[in-house]
């Protein structure tokens, strides 16, 4: 058995900016540690201070490079920055392996930056539970901006968007992304589109495609119209424009109730994911016992249908 | 509102082999239709007659071609065959788009074959709920063998394996797959390895790698030792060897209690997925009401931590 972590001491040290304590707390989140309720209770008073920026896009659009440059630009304004690189596709490896992460080592000696790759393995409730809890840790540690980066596959990008205050969707010319973006429902979640690799052929066409698609959407007066920014992150070009777009979205959010709604939405997703995880764990406990296996055997024999069996199972909770 | 389907009539027609009724029933499964409990109850008596064969592997290893050739070989022995091509990565498109599926049109005029692409979108409980329920439909329609094909990404292949009686893992030489297979935990789920594209350079090395890794695993006496088969599906070579390996595994399962255990495991996964889906729907109903939003607002204000809020939410179920 692992020793029970001293949550109070860890949170106090993380509040003081101790990177190792931050790391340990996020590891507890990643592993779905039994101490998490205690961690959450200790962090609750510090909720809602950080700006959460989601950054997503297909593989190869330059997410890591852009994140790296954004960190640099944000640090130049004196902000404390946290980066969560979430890998939704690696339930097995036990800790996400992101090759590009090596580039982030630009910032490893800067105490104002905390960078962490995480997978959603182990945690009941998956991505929706782990990410907001890791955000809480970084908020507690005094980060002003938290960048949550994830590859746009499956449902991950939409999940991340539901957790971020501001969502950046990266596209690159010539990847057919403008069309893909519409297909994948990304158009609905993006607050800012970044056309990265804007020095490449086709960048203007991608820009026009996105602007055209945004023109088709219906918006009520006062609604946010997504901004489209061009960048060549690998050369550091357009990064200030991205920061300006994030700030503009932030200002719009603060003017109305969007920021408050975004935080409540994040909390709702988190609470729901934790509740589901708890219920799943209880069903898992039933699996250890005889309830589920008895029901499953009856289903396999055709004596009872699976819905009736599921109802029985729920009654036993 | 869509008209409520006449489940009794649909199941009766599907039992008679009417392809359109089979299609409609699987669409109900795919959409998580409210009539599903009724469908499941109507199909329950016909459970456990089909052999479920899972087929998985990385993109590009030749899954569709191999499936196509397996269908041909199984049809030649007079068996009725169902194919479910499950796309775990497209929650958005509403119906999986598998370009390779076009090749399957070889069999579209054969009434002894039913082929269906499906996504796990919409259905509460995801892949684990949809696939066994679609298997039930095909079992009810009299399929002797049901091939469940899915691309080996994320957790999908392990989920499929937990639903199949016999799991085939396809590899191709020169894709680094032998190593990948170990990483992804696939070694544990494969009953038969197929080295496809066996005419390509590196096939012998892949074969040796897999055999070597299988040699390292510990097995109790009487345990199944995975078979390794070479094939070049695109030329129809080795297909009979794959069928022979499936039959051999089937015979081993029937000798002991493995087949029974496999069916009970499938039922357990299905019942658990349905139970979780039901609970999630109930939480979703709470979201419509005020319970979750009131709690989320309190969490966003830092007045309560998300675990305490989740406990409150569960009490309200």
């Amino acid at each position: 058995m692992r020793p029970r972590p001293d949550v109070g001491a860890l949170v106090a040290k993380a509040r003081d900016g101790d990177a190792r304590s931050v790391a340990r707390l996020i590891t507890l989140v990643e592993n779905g540690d039994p101490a998490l309720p205690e961690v959450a209770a200790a962090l609750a008073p510090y909720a809602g201070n950080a700006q959460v920026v989601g950054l997503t896009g297909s593989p190869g659009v330059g997410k890591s490079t852009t994140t790296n440059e954004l960190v640099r630009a944000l640090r130049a304004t004196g902000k404390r920055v946290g980066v969560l690189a979430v890998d939704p596709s690696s339930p097995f490896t036990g800790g996400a392996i992101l090759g590009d992460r090596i580039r982030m080592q630009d910032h490893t000696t800067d105490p104002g930056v905390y960078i962490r790759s995480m997978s959603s393995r182990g945690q009941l409730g998956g991505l929706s539970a782990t990410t907001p809890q890791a955000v809480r840790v970084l908020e507690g540690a005094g980060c002003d901006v938290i960048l949550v980066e994830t590859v746009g596959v499956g449902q991950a990008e939409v999940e991340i968007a539901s957790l971020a205050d501001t969502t950046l969707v990266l596209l690159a010319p010539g990847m057919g992304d403008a069309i893909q973006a519409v297909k994948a429902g990304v158009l609905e979640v993006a607050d800012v589109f970044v056309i990265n690799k804007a020095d490449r052929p086709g960048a203007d066409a991608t820009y026009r495609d996105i602007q055209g698609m945004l023109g088709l959407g219906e918006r009520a007066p006062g609604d946010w119209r997504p901004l489209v920014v061009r960048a060549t992150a690998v050369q550091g070009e357009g990064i200030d424009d991205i920061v300006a777009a994030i700030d503009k979205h932030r200002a719009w959010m603060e003017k109305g109730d969007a920021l408050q709604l975004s935080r409540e939405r994040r909390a709702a997703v988190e609470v729901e994911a934790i509740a589901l995880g708890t219920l799943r764990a209880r069903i898992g406990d039933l699996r250890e016992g005889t309830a589920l296996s008895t029901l499953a055997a009856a289903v396999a024999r055709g004596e009872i249908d699976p819905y009736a069996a599921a109802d029985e199972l729920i009654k036993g909770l």
Side-chain angles (χ1 to χ4, degrees), chain A residues 115-196:
Chain A
I115 294 169
R116 172 68 171 245
S117 296
M118 62 189 294
S119 74
S120 51
R121 184 190 71 98
Q123 170 61 291
L124 295 167
L127 206 63
S128 302
T130 45
T131 311
Q133 292 188 71
V135 163
R136 280 174 187 285
V137 173
L138 293 173
E139 265 184 334
C143 289
D144 302 301
V145 179
I146 299 165
L147 295 170
V148 183
E149 178 198 319
T150 196
V151 66
V153 292
Q155 200 150 5
E157 58 199 311
V158 174
E159 284 186 284
I160 292 292
S162 76
L163 304 172
D165 299 320
T166 300
T167 301
L168 272 54
V169 173
L170 264 67
L171 304 170
M175 296 180 68
D177 263 314
I179 304 300
Q180 289 296 331
V182 179
K183 268 196 197 153
V186 165
L187 209 59
E188 287 74 40
V189 303
D191 299 307
V192 178
F193 285 99
V194 177
I195 318 281
N196 194 29

Side-chain angles (χ1 to χ4, degrees), chain A residues 8 56 64 94 98 110 113 140 151 174 230 252 282 305:
Chain A
T56 185
S64 297
L98 299 174
D110 179 349
V113 180
V151 66
R230 304 176 208 226
W252 171 83
R282 288 193 197 165
D305 76 78

Side-chain angles (χ1 to χ4, degrees), chain A residues 187-241:
Chain A
L187 209 59
E188 287 74 40
V189 303
D191 299 307
V192 178
F193 285 99
V194 177
I195 318 281
N196 194 29
K197 309 188 181 182
D199 55 341
R200 292 208 182 164
D204 289 342
T206 303
Y207 184 88
R208 279 195 307 271
D209 284 354
I210 290 292
Q211 289 287 15
M213 285 188 289
L214 291 175
L216 298 174
E218 287 183 23
R219 256 169 232 102
D223 277 4
W224 175 253
R225 189 190 198 278
L227 298 172
V228 189
V229 178
R230 304 176 208 226
T232 306
V234 76
Q235 294 169 21
E237 284 170 18
I239 300 300
D240 291 344
D241 295 335

